[in-house]
């Protein structure tokens, strides 16, 4: 049996400072060798930025790109 006063591994991990979303995602990519997700995520972000900026005053400048 473990000592009830001594924190276990799970409780010790809880005391660590929390990592941010981006840092945790980068750690996930490195650990699971999912580097193919990076270009996909960048493409989604670029399309999202075009959609957002398409409804603003920047729209005429975006349309000249195409």
């Amino acid at each position: 049996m473990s000592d009830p006063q001594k924190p276990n591994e799970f409780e010790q991990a809880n005391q660590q400072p929390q990592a941010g979303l981006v840092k945790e995602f980068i750690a996930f990519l490195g650990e699971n060798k999912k580097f193919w997700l990076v270009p996909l995520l960048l493409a989604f972000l670029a399309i999202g930025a075009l959609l957002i900026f398409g409804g603003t005053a920047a729209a005429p400048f975006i349309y000249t790109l195409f």
Side-chain angles (χ1 to χ4, degrees), residues 1-47:
M1 288 245 145
S2 64
D3 185 14
Q5 299 298 328
K6 183 178 178 188
N8 60 19
E9 182 181 348
F10 182 74
E11 291 170 339
Q12 288 175 353
N14 186 38
Q15 300 301 323
Q16 299 291 328
Q18 299 247 340
L21 180 66
V22 175
K23 187 175 181 181
E24 188 146 343
F25 183 69
I26 291 171
F28 167 78
L29 293 177
E31 188 169 322
N32 293 311
K33 309 293 189 255
K34 304 264 185 208
F35 297 115
W36 56 270
L37 285 174
V38 173
L40 186 66
L41 182 64
L42 290 177
F44 282 146
L45 289 174
I47 291 170

